[in-house]
Amino acid sequence: MPDDVSPAPSHYGAAAHRHAPQPPSSHIPLTPAPGPAGPQHTAIQHPTPPTPPGGPAASPFPPAPAAPAPARLRVVVVDDNPVVRAGLGVLLSGRADIQVVAEAADGREAYEKTHRHRPDVVLLDVRMPGVDGISALPHLVGIAPVLMLTYSRESEIVHEALRLGAGGYLVHGEFTADQLVQAVRDTKDGRANFTATAADALLAHMRQGTGRQRGPLPEGLGSAPTTPPMPVQAPSHPLENSESLSQLQPSVGQSSVSGGSAYAPNRQQYRLSSREVEVMDLIASGMSNQQIAATCFISEKTVKNHINRIFTKLHSATRSEAIAHWLGTAPRNPGRQP
């Protein structure tokens, strides 16, 4: 074969040329990138930098410290009824931001517990044995904000409580559980809360003018002390302050009497117990047995038992007749003793 003639490429020669190993390429390889159906796109794969000896490099920013848990709002509950105290304790302590730190059954114990625990809010009843809430109030407000929580709805009591520094006034049966919890939080922050009865009494007082003489407090409630509140510094003999509280006029008896009116009924004649007075007040406000049971934390059967005794003492056969006797609107019957 002549030297200048090259053999014709055969079919096998071409295939061998196509499958021959190729030299390594210096360009960066391209790999298909995942994506929706359609033309395939390619993404550049950058080589992963090598891990330095000794593990990954530490971050120059230290981790932030964990946020501290918010402090719980501390409450002292003051009420002579142990059932009410227990119910309020369960209700308030069931909230993540509230803690009942102490309970008290009268004004003197309330001062001792408040002075010891220094709570954020004090829930204070009005009618209690020993030292009532009105008498203890000016001594308590020098230590902590006070929210009145009571069955007493007389206008004169509302005025006096606010005059002595109460941060709000709630009447049992006129608020929900959530409203009570919010009122406690508001009292700590200096915002006042009033239920309908207390708000009406406050509005009426403002319309009458502050210069008008206030009516007397209902019978049995001690007059507010005219001396300034006791200092909040810890005394060398703590019992001295307690003794000064005990010298105040004792608290309410077994019934309530509306003061300041020539037509006020003489409710003492019925000789109702303190619980019967509470139930009768709620009956007069228009509550049903179920609502009274929820308000007083008792069963409906217990409510019915109270009502039966109340009807007997008021010589009444129906709710409306009992309310009329209780409010003093029933016609007088000289031939029958009340």
Side-chain angles (χ1 to χ4, degrees), residues 58-137:
S59 171
F61 302 101
R72 300 178 72 181
L73 192 155
R74 305 168 73 250
V75 178
V76 169
V77 176
V78 185
D79 197 295
D80 64 316
N81 190 324
V83 178
V84 173
R85 292 199 307 270
L88 291 173
V90 172
L91 171 64
L92 296 175
S93 297
R95 306 299 172 116
D97 62 330
I98 299 179
Q99 177 185 10
V100 175
V101 295
E103 298 178 3
D106 60 28
R108 177 162 55 175
E109 187 181 5
Y111 177 79
E112 294 171 352
K113 295 291 182 66
T114 302
H115 191 277
R116 182 188 311 165
H117 294 279
R118 300 300 173 115
D120 299 302
V121 176
V122 176
L123 296 182
L124 181 63
D125 189 18
V126 169
R127 289 182 164 86
M128 294 179 292
V131 178
D132 61 72
I134 292 296
S135 299
L137 178 57

Side-chain angles (χ1 to χ4, degrees), residues 88-296:
L88 291 173
V90 172
L91 171 64
L92 296 175
S93 297
R95 306 299 172 116
D97 62 330
I98 299 179
Q99 177 185 10
V100 175
V101 295
E103 298 178 3
D106 60 28
R108 177 162 55 175
E109 187 181 5
Y111 177 79
E112 294 171 352
K113 295 291 182 66
T114 302
H115 191 277
R116 182 188 311 165
H117 294 279
R118 300 300 173 115
D120 299 302
V121 176
V122 176
L123 296 182
L124 181 63
D125 189 18
V126 169
R127 289 182 164 86
M128 294 179 292
V131 178
D132 61 72
I134 292 296
S135 299
L137 178 57
H139 301 278
L140 297 174
V141 295
I143 307 176
V146 177
L147 174 63
M148 306 303 296
L149 183 62
T150 177
Y151 288 98
S152 301
R153 61 186 68 213
E154 294 90 338
S155 177
E156 293 78 17
I157 296 179
V158 177
H159 298 162
E160 191 71 359
L162 297 178
R163 187 183 74 83
L164 294 175
Y169 200 105
L170 306 183
V171 177
H172 283 292
E174 298 183 1
F175 56 84
T176 65
D178 289 339
Q179 289 171 339
L180 171 60
V181 171
Q182 188 58 49
V184 171
R185 294 168 178 156
D186 288 345
T187 300
K188 177 182 180 296
D189 296 333
R191 293 188 295 270
N193 280 263
F194 304 91
T195 52
T197 297
D200 291 343
L202 179 61
L203 181 59
H205 182 68
M206 294 177 62
R207 287 174 175 173
Q208 291 171 359
T210 56
R212 183 171 178 174
Q213 182 67 27
R214 296 189 307 273
L217 289 173
E219 181 179 338
L221 283 175
S223 300
T226 57
T227 57
M230 289 179 289
V232 299
Q233 291 83 6
S236 56
H237 301 286
L239 290 180
E240 293 179 0
N241 286 330
S242 299
E243 291 170 358
S244 66
L245 275 174
S246 65
Q247 294 173 359
L248 297 173
Q249 182 175 344
S251 73
V252 64
Q254 296 298 322
S255 61
S256 63
V257 180
S258 298
S261 173
Y263 303 100
N266 180 17
R267 295 176 179 173
Q268 287 183 337
Q269 62 183 323
Y270 302 123
R271 300 184 180 279
L272 268 60
S273 68
S274 58
R275 172 61 86 181
E276 290 168 353
V277 169
E278 295 172 355
V279 172
M280 189 61 229
D281 281 337
L282 297 178
I283 292 174
S285 70
M287 281 194 179
S288 65
N289 289 2
Q290 183 179 9
Q291 291 171 324
I292 294 174
T295 300
C296 298

